[in-house]
Amino acid sequence: ENNTSGQSILFLSRLSNILLGALLGAFVFAWSKQLWGTTGAALSLFFFVLSPNILAHSALATTDIPATAFFFITAYFLYRIAAEGASWKKTVIASLFFAMGLASKHTTLLITPFIIAAFALSLRKTTFKKTVLLLAAFAVSSYLFVWVVYGFNFHSSAPGYLLPDWSLVKPSSLVSFFRWLSDWKFLPESYLYGLAGSVAGTGSGRAAFFMGEHSSTGWPAYFATAFLIKTPVPTIIFLAASLIYLAREKESRVRALFVILPPLLIFLAFSSQKVNIGLRHILPAYPFLFVLIGFVTSIKTESVKLARAVFYGGIVWYAYAAALIFPHQLAYFNEFIGGPKNGCT
């Protein structure tokens, strides 16, 4: 009975992610500019807009780019809260993006420790009473927005809606807790059921393929390996240079902690669970890495000619690799394994 063409449905479904990808790029530029200046921000944006992984997932109607964008933008405003002090404006904006992240994908929950850290650090410039009040406002507004997404309906009002079958979720203490929250109607039932299913899934695993092997319990090295073979080599080189030189500059290193720690947590969290079904799960780490790359423009070295050769060589290499894989970015594999012909998505 649907009279809308399939092409229109597909285009509109993907359009929101294309726009979110563009918004994410704007915040990558903004954060990098705050840390390293306009030149560093331009370098960060260059690596962002030509990233095969960002381009691939920005063109798909999935939850990965929304989760990546909302996770990163929330972290950006938390950084500002920590650096500048908490305020009503920054708190409301951060909570809004956090809530949109929660409504997109449960990965957003990984940012919770940074919420607490940001408000704790803001005590240097904000009174204790105001900080506690703003933190409470952050929690309440995030909670209410999740209900807004569900139209304040505990059960779906859609015709043919079936109640979730909690017996299908592998039991655990956390799953029991979510079931208890559902009994008290703390959040929409389908949201809590989905969260319980995600938690149970990470513990039980899913069938996957990795380096010629099949498993349903995952591999600890899966995401580290996926990152190394599906990330352009210039990205890895520039990131390594940035981290090496950041380690030598205490002031810059401290300012960059809010950019360094989130991707580290993402890698650790996903490497410790048993679901290994694609690089997309660690996609939220990438915008932070692009911001870190912006520090390369601030590096001071005695080997100026060599540094320039590596820099411009890396830029050309990165642009060439992006042009070569177009328009099949999802199938990208880097030169470490001989490119897409030796990869398997």
Side-chain angles (χ1 to χ4, degrees):
E1 297 176 359
N2 178 30
N3 295 320
T4 306
S5 71
Q7 288 295 328
S8 295
I9 294 172
L10 188 60
F11 171 75
L12 292 173
S13 299
R14 291 176 168 180
L15 180 60
S16 59
N17 275 6
I18 293 171
L19 296 175
L20 279 175
L23 179 66
L24 175 57
F27 275 94
V28 166
F29 182 88
W31 199 345
S32 186
K33 184 179 180 181
Q34 280 201 352
L35 292 173
W36 326 122
T38 303
T39 306
L43 183 64
S44 295
L45 187 61
F46 173 78
F47 272 84
F48 174 85
V49 298
L50 292 184
S51 166
N53 296 307
I54 294 296
L55 288 172
H57 290 283
S58 294
L60 302 177
T62 64
T63 59
D64 297 299
I65 275 294
T68 299
F70 297 142
F71 189 101
F72 181 81
I73 297 171
T74 301
Y76 167 75
F77 282 103
L78 290 176
Y79 164 77
R80 291 190 55 188
I81 287 172
E84 304 166 6
S87 69
W88 282 103
K89 181 180 178 180
K90 292 192 287 280
T91 298
V92 171
I93 295 174
S95 66
L96 176 63
F97 281 107
F98 176 63
M100 288 192 287
L102 292 177
S104 300
K105 200 169 185 179
H106 302 308
T107 303
T108 307
L109 286 168
L110 288 175
I111 208 170
T112 304
F114 298 99
I115 296 172
I116 298 169
F119 281 95
L121 290 170
S122 76
L123 286 170
R124 296 171 299 171
K125 298 187 177 182
T126 312
T127 64
F128 179 80
K129 182 179 179 180
K130 184 179 179 180
T131 301
V132 172
L133 182 62
L134 289 172
L135 180 58
F138 182 98
V140 171
S141 59
S142 300
Y143 172 76
L144 289 175
F145 187 80
V146 173
W147 274 108
V148 169
V149 171
Y150 286 78
F152 289 97
N153 293 314
F154 179 68
H155 292 304
S156 172
S157 58
Y161 173 74
L162 297 175
L163 295 176
D165 186 353
W166 286 88
S167 65
L168 298 176
V169 183
K170 186 179 180 180
S172 69
S173 56
L174 266 178
V175 170
S176 298
F177 175 66
F178 296 138
R179 178 69 186 271
W180 177 79
L181 291 177
S182 178
D183 291 339
W184 283 92
K185 299 184 178 181
F186 182 75
L187 281 168
E189 183 178 41
S190 55
Y191 183 83
L192 291 170
Y193 184 72
L195 184 55
S198 294
V199 170
T202 57
S204 60
R206 285 180 62 179
F209 171 85
F210 178 62
M211 296 297 184
E213 297 180 1
H214 291 271
S215 174
S216 59
T217 55
W219 301 266
Y222 178 89
F223 287 106
T225 305
F227 174 80
L228 288 174
I229 64 177
K230 282 189 69 67
T231 301
V233 176
T235 302
I236 297 172
I237 294 173
F238 276 56
L239 177 63
S242 179
L243 291 174
I244 290 170
Y245 281 90
L246 265 174
R248 303 177 182 181
E249 297 188 20
K250 183 178 179 181
E251 184 179 344
S252 296
R253 186 174 69 246
V254 170
R255 286 193 296 135
L257 279 178
F258 255 80
V259 186
I260 296 172
L261 295 179
L264 183 61
L265 177 60
I266 290 168
F267 271 94
L268 290 174
F270 281 99
S271 295
S272 64
Q273 49 89 40
K274 299 178 180 179
V275 178
N276 297 161
I277 55 172
L279 182 78
R280 64 189 179 86
H281 287 281
I282 58 168
L283 196 66
Y286 276 85
F288 295 96
L289 304 184
F290 296 136
V291 171
L292 284 171
I293 284 174
F295 176 71
V296 167
T297 60
S298 303
I299 292 175
K300 294 179 176 62
T301 176
E302 294 179 359
S303 307
V304 178
K305 289 184 178 180
L306 177 62
R308 284 179 178 173
V310 172
F311 180 85
Y312 289 113
I315 292 294
V316 173
W317 183 358
Y318 190 70
Y320 176 73
L324 201 62
I325 194 63
F326 176 84
H328 307 292
Q329 289 91 347
L330 195 62
Y332 178 82
F333 284 85
N334 66 25
E335 292 80 1
F336 285 158
I337 61 166
K341 65 181 180 180
N342 293 329
C344 178
T345 57

